[in-house]
Amino acid sequence: MKTVFWCFVLAMCLVTHTASACSPVSLLRINARIQENISAMGSGQVLYRTFRSLTTLLHNKQELFCSQPSQQAAKLMVWGRMHGTMGASQTWPTSVQGVGIRVAIAIVSKNQPDMLHWLPFSSELSLHAEDMLNSDNIWLRIELVKTESSWTRSSAINFQQPSMLTFKWGEQLSTIAFSFTGITLPGNCQFTQPTTHIVLLPVKQSDLDEGGNSAAAPFPLDLQCSSPDLKPELTLYGMTRKNLRNVFVNTITGNRAQGVGIQVLLNNQPIEEGKPIKLNDIKFAGDKFKIPLFIRYHKVGKITPGDVKTHLTLKINYL
């Protein structure tokens, strides 16, 4: 079974407007896996969240300014910018309809409490000269949010903000540019019950119809998938008769019934062993494909009383 995931890449450029010997431009990349069922999630639910220091995001510590201001105490001005039209829950539109992004910053220093500011905002903070700011002091919270009940599937989710954060401390100016790229891949599927045991009620030979079949008993399977756009394909494996690929043989060793096997049905048709069946007509409800399988006894010869048992393996492929 294939297992695939969402991968998001964040890119942030740190640009310092001072002498050339100061911090160089840095490029940040974050790879994150998202395995939630996006289509089944409601509007306002968070699809991805991270809250980390800029040092952690950059994988190394960087200064925001080349030196402290000349004053003993100075005011730090901070501007946070986002472009576009702000939607519900302080989200901003990405390139994909139905998915928005929101960003918050926390500035941590000896004399400044750890406090989240959701963008956009502007603020003035009092800092002492010894509170030299660097990437350890800047924390970012980045969230990807589903903004509508439906969303437009896309192979990439993009958002750019050339000057998302600007810091002014004394005469020094520092700007953080932000670029977001989300790479979307197909989702995954799995059975809600990896193993199950089905018990058929005892039947009399007189209960079999003219075709040698007992009444079919429901054998429903729930296939949980991360997207309704996946196209699952079912294949059934087990021991069958050579001339009847849709009749699974009785494998029990003690008190074994003769002349009878087991059939599994989909859409009232017996499933052949090893033959893939496309589930295009199966409806997607919530986050599941409900596969309406049935199981029954099937006469293959002269019947003698006893027990019947068989082992089946169901394999799902999906695109």
Side-chain angles (χ1 to χ4, degrees):
M1 182 182 294
K2 295 190 296 185
T3 301
V4 285
F5 47 83
W6 281 64
C7 177
F8 287 92
V9 179
L10 293 173
M12 185 176 297
C13 297
L14 179 62
V15 184
T16 304
H17 301 282
T18 51
S20 59
C22 200
S23 298
V25 175
S26 298
L27 179 64
L28 168 69
R29 294 186 183 276
I30 298 177
N31 296 308
R33 295 182 178 183
I34 301 241
Q35 295 182 329
E36 283 82 355
N37 184 350
I38 307 300
S39 297
M41 297 180 76
S43 177
Q45 289 188 276
V46 176
L47 310 179
Y48 169 77
R49 177 188 288 119
T50 188
F51 183 47
R52 301 178 184 177
S53 71
L54 193 55
T55 296
T56 302
L57 298 175
L58 292 168
H59 302 292
N60 64 80
K61 183 177 178 179
Q62 286 191 233
E63 302 296 337
L64 294 183
F65 302 100
C66 292
S67 62
Q68 295 94 334
S70 56
Q71 308 98 311
Q72 188 64 24
K75 298 290 186 181
L76 173 69
M77 295 297 301
V78 184
W79 294 272
R81 303 179 181 89
M82 298 289 272
H83 67 76
T85 302
M86 185 171 67
S89 304
Q90 292 181 289
T91 59
W92 299 84
T94 66
S95 61
V96 174
Q97 183 176 349
V99 178
I101 192 171
R102 60 188 176 206
V103 180
I105 181 176
I107 300 175
V108 184
S109 70
K110 295 178 182 178
N111 300 298
Q112 180 64 34
D114 184 1
M115 188 172 167
L116 272 177
H117 301 271
W118 288 99
L119 277 60
F121 80 100
S122 62
S123 183
E124 182 180 87
L125 308 175
S126 295
L127 297 175
H128 293 290
E130 60 266 23
D131 292 333
M132 183 64 178
L133 280 180
N134 56 52
S135 54
D136 285 342
N137 306 113
I138 308 301
W139 284 68
L140 291 174
R141 180 168 174 170
I142 302 163
E143 295 182 350
L144 195 70
V145 182
K146 191 174 181 184
T147 57
E148 301 176 20
S149 57
S150 61
W151 68 296
T152 303
R153 289 189 60 82
S154 174
S155 60
I157 300 174
N158 300 295
F159 179 85
Q160 287 83 33
Q161 180 61 51
S163 54
M164 185 177 74
L165 294 170
T166 299
F167 303 89
K168 188 175 186 298
W169 199 17
E171 298 301 319
Q172 299 180 86
L173 197 67
S174 182
T175 297
I176 295 178
F178 180 71
S179 176
F180 179 95
T181 301
I183 306 301
T184 66
L185 301 175
N188 65 320
C189 293
Q190 61 183 2
F191 289 114
T192 56
Q193 289 183 296
T195 303
T196 188
H197 184 65
I198 305 298
V199 178
L200 285 175
L201 295 177
V203 297
K204 299 177 182 179
Q205 185 170 348
S206 59
D207 293 333
L208 303 181
D209 62 20
E210 293 182 358
N213 300 311
S214 69
F219 171 35
L221 282 180
D222 285 346
L223 181 66
Q224 189 173 38
C225 294
S226 59
S227 169
D229 299 324
L230 297 175
K231 305 300 182 185
E233 187 179 76
L234 172 71
T235 308
L236 189 61
Y237 295 96
M239 293 181 61
T240 63
R241 297 176 63 88
K242 292 182 179 180
N243 58 336
L244 288 173
R245 301 295 294 173
N246 59 14
V247 179
F248 295 88
V249 301
N250 186 6
T251 59
I252 202 167
T253 55
N255 193 31
R256 185 172 183 268
Q258 300 288 337
V260 67
I262 295 291
Q263 286 187 322
V264 179
L265 291 81
L266 178 64
N267 297 327
N268 207 33
Q269 296 296 319
I271 298 176
E272 289 188 26
E273 194 270 345
K275 183 178 180 179
I277 299 175
K278 296 185 182 298
L279 302 178
N280 297 335
D281 297 332
I282 306 300
K283 292 184 179 180
F284 188 81
D287 61 348
K288 299 179 182 69
F289 288 100
K290 294 185 176 294
I291 307 173
L293 298 178
F294 287 81
I295 192 167
R296 70 186 180 190
Y297 297 111
H298 180 77
K299 181 180 178 180
V300 293
K302 183 178 179 180
I303 295 178
T304 60
D307 297 331
V308 179
K309 183 178 181 180
T310 194
H311 293 274
L312 304 174
T313 300
L314 289 91
K315 178 182 177 182
I316 289 289
N317 290 326
Y318 51 91
L319 301 175

